[in-house]
């Protein structure tokens, strides 16, 4: 299956691609971060009608310098506690 993808840019913008079970969906917006969490503020999606389509924010908990635990739920994936690694 398709794995979610999170890209964070140095200008504090993000792209989060998610598995909608029937295809791929994309969230875009800006993010903030502190020593424990990253908060994604969603301002654009390219899908409707799925769990998470009306979300305004997502939170990721930092578990190491480049790994984050997803706190939320979107359609088929990501699920709560899924891990993202940023390279």
């Amino acid at each position: 299956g398709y794995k979610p993808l999170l890209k964070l840019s140095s200008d504090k913008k993000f792209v989060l691609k998610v598995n909608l079970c029937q295809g791929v969906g994309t969230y875009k917006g800006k993010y903030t971060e502190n020593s424990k969490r990253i908060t994604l503020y969603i301002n654009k999606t390219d899908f409707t009608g799925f769990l998470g389509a009306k979300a305004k924010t997502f939170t990721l908990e930092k578990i190491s310098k480049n790994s984050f635990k997803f706190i939320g739920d979107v359609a088929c994936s990501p699920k709560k506690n899924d891990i993202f690694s940023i390279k």
Side-chain angles (χ1 to χ4, degrees):
Y2 175 79
K3 289 188 174 186
L5 173 69
L6 175 62
K7 290 185 180 181
L8 302 174
S9 62
S10 60
D11 62 356
K12 299 295 186 185
K13 293 181 180 177
F14 77 89
V15 174
L16 174 63
K17 293 194 175 275
V18 297
N19 183 340
L20 300 174
C21 306
Q22 300 172 0
V24 176
T26 303
Y27 293 100
K28 292 183 179 181
K30 295 195 174 213
Y31 71 92
T32 60
E33 63 182 308
N34 62 35
S35 62
K36 295 181 181 181
R37 293 179 180 234
I38 290 179
T39 302
L40 307 177
Y41 295 94
I42 300 156
N43 62 25
K44 184 177 179 182
T45 60
D46 66 357
F47 62 94
T48 59
F50 291 89
L51 177 65
K54 294 184 180 185
K56 300 295 180 198
T57 63
F58 288 125
T59 302
L60 295 100
E61 179 182 326
K62 288 185 182 181
I63 55 176
S64 72
K65 181 179 178 182
N66 294 318
S67 294
F68 306 89
K69 182 167 54 173
F70 189 76
I71 310 298
D73 207 14
V74 180
C76 284
S77 186
K79 294 291 188 188
K80 185 174 182 177
N81 298 325
D82 279 357
I83 304 299
F84 284 90
S85 294
I86 307 295
K87 296 179 182 178

